[in-house]
Amino acid sequence: QVQLVESGGGLVQPGGSLRLSCAASGLIFSNYAMRWYRQSPGKERELVAAVGSPGGSTNYADSYADSVKGRFTISRDNRKNTVYLQMNSLKPGDTAVYYCNAHWGLIGRSYWGQGTQVTVSP
């Protein structure tokens, strides 16, 4: 059974930092591209950051939404089956539920975590 478990969300003041983690189990982690999405009330889920799969068909460098470039950094530790999202210089507009996604396009499989709330407020 595949599980993606996010952690690290919380309440932070504008300008602060948070690091989200997503621990994966039940899959061959290195075959999956890993992505972070976010969704705020009344808005569609949007792709925030992505990193390719070293062992799969999507071995691309990390990429980011324009709104977070220069502030967020995605990374993965294939020994720990974990992907991270380091978020710096947070703004109120970053407030959302953040979701981890594992995607293997070659076989059409995609898995989601349960989400973690990030709230940026004075």
Side-chain angles (χ1 to χ4, degrees):
Q1 182 181 0
V2 175
Q3 282 192 315
L4 300 177
V5 180
E6 298 104 332
S7 61
L11 174 64
V12 64
Q13 292 186 344
S17 298
L18 284 174
R19 188 174 84 151
L20 305 183
S21 299
C22 172
S25 59
L27 50 70
I28 303 174
F29 185 72
S30 60
N31 284 348
Y32 285 78
M34 298 301 297
R35 303 166 176 176
W36 286 97
Y37 287 78
R38 67 185 181 187
Q39 188 170 22
S40 51
K43 294 186 178 181
E44 293 187 356
R45 191 171 295 190
E46 65 168 338
L47 178 62
V48 175
V51 62
S53 55
S57 62
T58 55
N59 191 10
Y60 52 79
D62 48 336
S63 60
Y64 301 92
D66 287 343
S67 59
V68 306
K69 277 182 183 176
R71 300 188 297 122
F72 290 11
T73 303
I74 188 171
S75 61
R76 63 188 297 161
D77 186 336
N78 295 316
R79 296 170 302 171
K80 296 182 179 180
N81 286 7
T82 300
V83 63
Y84 304 97
L85 186 67
Q86 177 67 43
M87 306 186 294
N88 298 327
S89 302
L90 283 161
K91 306 175 181 180
D94 295 318
T95 296
V97 178
Y98 284 72
Y99 297 91
C100 173
N101 170 262
H103 181 76
W104 190 358
L106 190 65
I107 62 173
R109 289 192 180 163
S110 189
Y111 301 99
W112 292 89
Q114 82 287 352
T116 185
Q117 176 71 46
V118 171
T119 303
V120 184
S121 179

